[in-house]
Amino acid sequence: MDVKIEQSWKQALSHEWNADYFVRLTSWVREQYRVAQVFPPGRQIFAAFDATPFHRVKVVILGQDPYHGEGQANGLCFSVNPGIAIPKSLINIFKEVHDDVGAPFPHDGDLSRWARQGVLLLNATLTVAAHQAGSHQNRGWEEFTDAVIARLATGRDHLVFMLWGSYAQRKGQFIDRNRHLVLTSAHPSPLSAYRGFFGNHHFSLANDYLRRHGETPIVW
């Protein structure tokens, strides 16, 4: 199957493209885009991979679903395009970044600047029906993104994985902690941010780890 994705990822994930589950998944997703409103726009389904090639990944932030509101999802987890109101979870992320490393609060919620520096902003499920959270779960996306995480965990060294909330932590439980830095905390959503996300210092811890392993830190 000819998947339109950045070339290094196309090679790294070559075993997935013709797997039975992926063939079923893509057929189903194409039909959903045909009959319903689905986010993100089709050309942005693999935007996280296009923005952050396999060999340039330094940090992985794992989300769950794309935003399901009009104009929000852009293919990068937690991110929204300029001009779109910043979601509450992302506001909390920016608060922690500010408190942790002193970065100013951004004017918009576009995280492509992180992606260009090597932060893979990966949702577990890459599509969603409009206004229906979780509607494309359990169709095969999770198997695909498990393969993405596994390929990074075994094919690269000294990456930082940020796993926020129980879902992300379960998804990344197989990552070798001796080979990579795995940072876990509560999710940044308003329901849980005060139960351990605020004050987790993940952004400074990530940069300290990158420096120790000869990598340029992220400008958060």
Side-chain angles (χ1 to χ4, degrees):
M1 180 180 299
D2 185 22
V3 178
K4 291 180 175 60
I5 192 170
E6 191 274 333
Q7 191 61 35
S8 67
W9 281 109
K10 193 169 190 175
Q11 295 171 357
L13 299 171
S14 59
H15 292 296
E16 306 306 310
W17 309 131
N18 292 311
D20 289 345
Y21 86 88
F22 193 80
V23 173
R24 290 193 301 270
L25 169 65
T26 52
S27 176
W28 183 82
V29 168
R30 286 193 193 98
E31 179 65 9
Q32 298 310 301
Y33 273 91
R34 190 182 71 81
V35 302
Q37 186 178 25
V38 177
F39 299 132
R43 67 186 182 280
Q44 293 182 317
I45 292 175
F46 295 114
F49 303 91
D50 297 335
T52 313
F54 178 80
H55 57 280
R56 291 190 57 209
V57 175
K58 299 178 183 179
V59 178
V60 181
I61 297 179
L62 185 62
Q64 190 164 355
D65 285 312
Y67 296 121
H68 55 83
E70 190 74 39
Q72 289 183 302
N74 62 11
L76 310 177
C77 74
F78 294 107
S79 175
V80 292
N81 291 319
I84 300 296
I86 302 176
K88 292 179 180 179
S89 290
L90 185 53
I91 288 174
N92 288 339
I93 291 171
F94 288 155
K95 285 179 180 177
E96 177 58 24
V97 169
H98 173 74
D99 292 345
D100 188 18
V101 301
F105 201 93
H107 297 295
D108 60 52
D110 180 11
L111 299 183
S112 61
R113 66 185 189 282
W114 291 3
R116 289 191 296 270
Q117 296 178 76
V119 182
L120 180 66
L121 296 159
L122 179 66
N123 275 315
T125 301
L126 299 189
T127 56
V128 69
H131 315 301
Q132 298 180 50
S135 51
H136 286 195
Q137 292 177 4
N138 302 314
R139 292 286 182 170
W141 279 130
E142 295 89 346
E143 187 171 349
F144 173 71
T145 51
D146 280 348
V148 172
I149 297 168
R151 186 71 183 87
L152 286 166
T154 59
R156 296 287 312 282
D157 290 306
H158 309 310
L159 300 181
V160 180
F161 291 86
M162 296 185 182
L163 308 179
W164 300 331
S166 58
Y167 179 88
Q169 290 163 31
R170 287 194 302 272
K171 193 169 179 70
Q173 62 188 357
F174 64 86
I175 299 166
D176 185 350
R177 268 66 171 172
N178 295 314
R179 190 168 176 176
H180 304 284
L181 177 63
V182 179
L183 301 172
T184 63
S185 78
H187 193 275
S189 77
L191 298 175
S192 57
Y194 287 96
R195 299 204 297 267
F197 178 79
F198 289 136
N200 66 19
H201 300 290
H202 281 188
F203 304 96
S204 60
L205 289 170
N207 278 351
D208 289 345
Y209 182 83
L210 292 173
R211 287 189 193 95
R212 289 200 305 274
H213 291 93
E215 293 285 355
T216 304
I218 306 299
V219 179
W220 299 108

